[in-house]
Amino acid sequence: MKQAAGGRDQGSGARPRILIADDEPSLREITRQLFTKNGFDVVVAEDGLVAREIIGREFLDLVLTDIRMPRLDGVGLLRAVREMAPDVTVVMMTAHGTQDSAEWQQARELGARALIEKPFRNEDVLLQVRQLLESRRLRHENVVLRHTTAEQQFAGIIGRSPIMLEVFKLVETVCRTNSTVLIFGESGTGKELVARAIHDQSLRSTRPFVAVNCGAMPETLLESELFGHVRGAFTGADKDKKGLIETAEGGTVFLDEIGEMPAAMQVKLLRVLQERKYRRVGGTDEASCNIRVTAATNRDLPKQVGEGKFREDLFYRLNVIPVKMPPLRERVEDIPLTAEHFVAKYNREMNKAISGFTAEAMAALRAYPWPGNVRELENTVERSVALESGPSIGVSTLPQHLRDRRPATTRPGDSIADTGQGFNLERHLQDIERAHLERALERASGVQTRAADLLGLSFRQFRYLVRKHGLKRE
Ligand SMILES: Nc1ncnc2c1ncn2[C@@H]1O[C@H](COP(=O)(O)OP(=O)(O)OP(=O)(O)O)[C@@H](O)[C@H]1O
Ligand SMILES: [Mg+2]
């Protein structure tokens, strides 16, 4: 069963996909078998035009093409690849030439990576293709890494921690395939952002990206949203309606909160994934679709499978490539650059010129566990940019629950600890504490219970601190 194949792909991305174009049937068949047996996904074409059509439609890693072919020759095909899918590696094959033939010279100028002379030994071709794919993979990794370290982001996803670099690499790999991707992660970790990035970086990017929230609507509505309905299918269905799958034709359907999908819909979705077929609500005809499916969940889906709440077969179909989005608290080192990214964003939106955060404010951001992850951070920054009247966001502008979390001592990397000689940290923290108490008392017009509330302290704690700093004024 295909399901098992899905399981094997985990983590490492999809199997390499190659196209073999040759007008000689026996050669096509032998090479097809050779590569299939060795773990490749193989597509074949009997001439250049058929090959060109496949290249326009499918995601490929490498094209192995004969030079002399009817209708469109290998060099013509190579030109088409450069135009339509410049990223694809091309290898030429010929029975009529050598490394110094004019055709090969031309092909090499157009970017062909190797020439294989027929007849060839299976091991040689296999080795050469593997080496080319490996160097291509490394090249890609370098692109991602360079990009990320320079810009601290990848396709709009901010992050530079090792755990995020892994995510970027995976996204980069999967966007060149058609595989189904399942994105796991807590709320606000960027699951939808990643789904969009996968679409935007893929060859489907010129086609629609359609997001459907499977948890937001009742079963019958979800079915007609996805599949569409025919006139008279139910009360109120006064005309035919296109489903989102049809709207997304050629593009990507993102099924958000897939863990909430009702059982009956799970069966129907399985059919879409297996056969790319579905039926409109109230309709009799089968419709076919060409869509890529990505899905996301913040639930423990394997557990739901174990409890019989989610179909196992559907889980395996969806989980061809799992992407796990880490919670923000597991990549604290990304907090400063992410927060600063949002400051820049809201400066632009609100026409302000906040320069960033004070050291104390940044320490508070780093110390807070961010249960709502990047979404919560973004909301916090937005609010702070709006409220801040000074040049940079100070700790007093941050919401109460963040200020309470401020660590009593600093941690490595906190700029507050880097201030060099003569700096008395304990004294500095005392000053901050005192300033806080004063401000709270001022805002509460001297009413201590209110000031304690503002700071999220019990009255006893508050009284203790007030006494300690000698602020008491009855
Ligand atoms: N790494 C990141 N860099 C920049 N922005 C991010 C990042 N992660 C998330 N965001 C932003 O945070 C917000 C929430 O992200 P998103 O909607 O993708 O989360 P989610 O995982 O789908 O959450 P939920 O499970 O609640 O639907 C969005 O505005 C998104 O742009
Ligand atoms: Mg989401």
Side-chain angles (χ1 to χ4, degrees):
M1 283 288 290
K2 265 278 173 61
Q3 281 172 19
R8 242 186 293 127
D9 282 341
Q10 291 193 8
S12 60
R15 310 205 297 174
R17 194 162 167 81
I18 66 171
L19 168 68
I20 298 165
D22 201 302
D23 54 332
E24 195 187 311
S26 63
L27 186 132
R28 250 182 357 246
E29 190 47 29
I30 290 166
T31 358
R32 192 183 65 74
Q33 281 178 18
L34 170 71
F35 281 101
T36 308
K37 208 169 62 200
N38 283 282
F40 290 76
D41 261 346
V42 183
V43 206
V44 291
E46 67 270 23
D47 66 41
L49 277 191
V50 173
R52 192 173 69 184
E53 202 194 301
I54 293 172
I55 289 161
R57 178 179 81 210
E58 300 209 16
F59 297 85
L60 297 161
D61 293 297
L62 184 140
V63 174
L64 193 57
T65 178
D66 193 15
I67 292 186
R68 296 198 186 161
M69 286 186 296
R71 304 214 289 166
L72 178 68
D73 69 4
V75 175
L77 181 63
L78 174 59
R79 277 210 185 86
V81 173
R82 286 290 150 265
E83 227 167 74
M84 296 191 289
D87 195 39
V88 174
T89 302
V90 180
V91 176
M92 315 300 285
M93 297 184 286
T94 184
H96 312 276
T98 55
Q99 299 287 343
D100 43 41
S101 73
E103 279 156 326
W104 166 239
Q105 292 308 324
Q106 200 187 353
R108 208 171 50 181
E109 271 164 32
L110 285 167
R113 297 297 301 275
L115 175 70
I116 290 169
E117 290 170 39
K118 296 195 258 188
F120 49 72
R121 295 196 329 174
N122 283 353
E123 312 87 83
D124 293 345
V125 181
L126 200 57
L127 181 68
Q128 195 146 22
V129 164
R130 281 195 172 133
Q131 281 171 346
L132 285 170
L133 286 177
E134 177 60 13
S135 80
R136 178 174 186 272
R137 193 181 67 77
L138 292 174
R139 218 166 46 238
H140 269 284
E141 257 176 32
N142 286 338
V143 170
V144 177
L145 290 179
R146 235 189 357 253
H147 201 76
T148 311
T149 41
E151 316 225 340
Q152 313 183 334
Q153 62 150 326
F154 173 74
I157 313 168
I158 312 288
R160 210 172 33 179
S161 52
I163 193 169
M164 284 303 278
L165 293 185
E166 283 303 310
V167 171
F168 296 158
K169 268 195 246 165
L170 193 55
V171 169
E172 171 79 9
T173 312
V174 303
C175 64
R176 286 173 287 117
T177 73
N178 242 337
S179 308
T180 305
V181 178
L182 182 55
I183 308 163
F184 295 91
E186 290 177 14
S187 183
T189 47
K191 298 186 293 296
E192 179 157 355
L193 199 58
V194 163
R196 284 181 191 277
I198 292 173
H199 174 80
D200 290 344
Q201 307 277 310
S202 77
L203 280 184
R204 292 177 179 268
S205 62
T206 55
R207 310 290 308 154
F209 173 88
V210 173
V212 189
N213 188 326
C214 305
M217 31 189 152
E219 178 166 344
T220 46
L221 190 56
L222 179 60
E223 182 176 358
S224 93
E225 278 289 309
L226 272 177
F227 299 151
H229 62 243
V230 298
R231 182 165 168 244
F234 44 81
T235 348
D238 48 3
K239 47 179 187 279
D240 287 3
K241 186 174 157 273
K242 244 189 186 186
L244 291 173
I245 288 187
E246 197 177 337
T247 307
E249 181 65 14
T252 306
V253 174
F254 171 55
L255 299 171
D256 206 358
E257 294 186 33
I258 188 84
E260 317 292 322
M261 184 172 265
M265 269 308 288
Q266 292 181 25
V267 184
K268 291 173 181 157
L269 176 61
L270 185 63
R271 184 104 207 287
V272 172
L273 292 175
Q274 273 170 344
E275 299 161 43
R276 296 290 189 257
K277 291 231 164 74
Y278 67 94
R279 216 184 282 265
R280 287 178 164 196
V281 177
T284 45
D285 300 340
E286 292 256 271
S288 299
C289 56
N290 166 14
I291 51 164
R292 181 204 203 139
V293 174
T294 50
T297 180
N298 51 24
R299 297 205 168 200
D300 185 347
L301 219 46
K303 185 162 161 248
Q304 278 190 288
V305 169
E307 290 167 354
K309 291 184 189 141
F310 198 85
R311 290 184 69 101
E312 188 173 16
D313 45 9
L314 178 59
F315 174 71
Y316 282 116
R317 273 285 164 188
L318 288 169
N319 197 35
V320 175
I321 300 176
V323 176
K324 296 200 177 67
M325 295 307 293
L328 191 56
R329 65 183 169 281
E330 283 175 19
R331 48 186 192 97
V332 174
E333 67 264 51
D334 285 338
I335 289 177
L337 57 113
T338 313
E340 268 147 25
H341 163 82
F342 290 134
V343 169
K345 173 176 171 186
Y346 290 105
N347 268 339
R348 276 195 303 276
E349 267 182 32
M350 301 177 197
N351 206 6
K352 295 189 80 163
I354 307 281
S355 68
F357 299 85
T358 64
E360 301 97 280
M362 188 52 85
L365 294 186
R366 290 174 59 110
Y368 181 68
W370 300 107
N373 295 294
V374 185
R375 181 183 291 115
E376 187 184 4
L377 176 61
E378 177 166 3
N379 293 341
T380 304
V381 174
E382 177 180 4
R383 172 187 178 281
S384 307
V385 170
L387 294 179
E388 183 59 61
S389 50
S392 49
I393 297 169
V395 81
S396 58
T397 308
L398 297 178
Q400 186 63 53
H401 54 280
L402 257 98
R403 285 186 259 161
D404 295 342
R405 287 266 173 185
R406 249 170 349 116
T409 52
T410 49
R411 306 190 292 177
D414 288 344
S415 43
I416 195 172
D418 296 336
T419 339
Q421 284 190 335
F423 178 77
N424 183 328
L425 179 62
E426 183 55 29
R427 170 82 182 281
H428 184 70
L429 289 172
Q430 293 301 325
D431 287 349
I432 296 171
E433 193 173 79
R434 184 191 165 101
H436 254 79
L437 292 167
E438 283 174 341
R439 191 167 308 138
L441 277 166
E442 199 182 298
R443 292 220 336 236
S445 313
V447 181
Q448 295 204 1
T449 46
R450 265 184 61 199
D453 274 351
L454 278 174
L455 293 171
L457 296 170
S458 73
F459 187 61
R460 270 179 75 126
Q461 288 168 323
F462 184 80
R463 281 288 293 267
Y464 165 79
L465 292 172
V466 163
R467 251 182 255 128
K468 177 175 126 188
H469 288 283
L471 293 172
K472 203 166 174 204
R473 45 181 156 140
E474 299 297 352

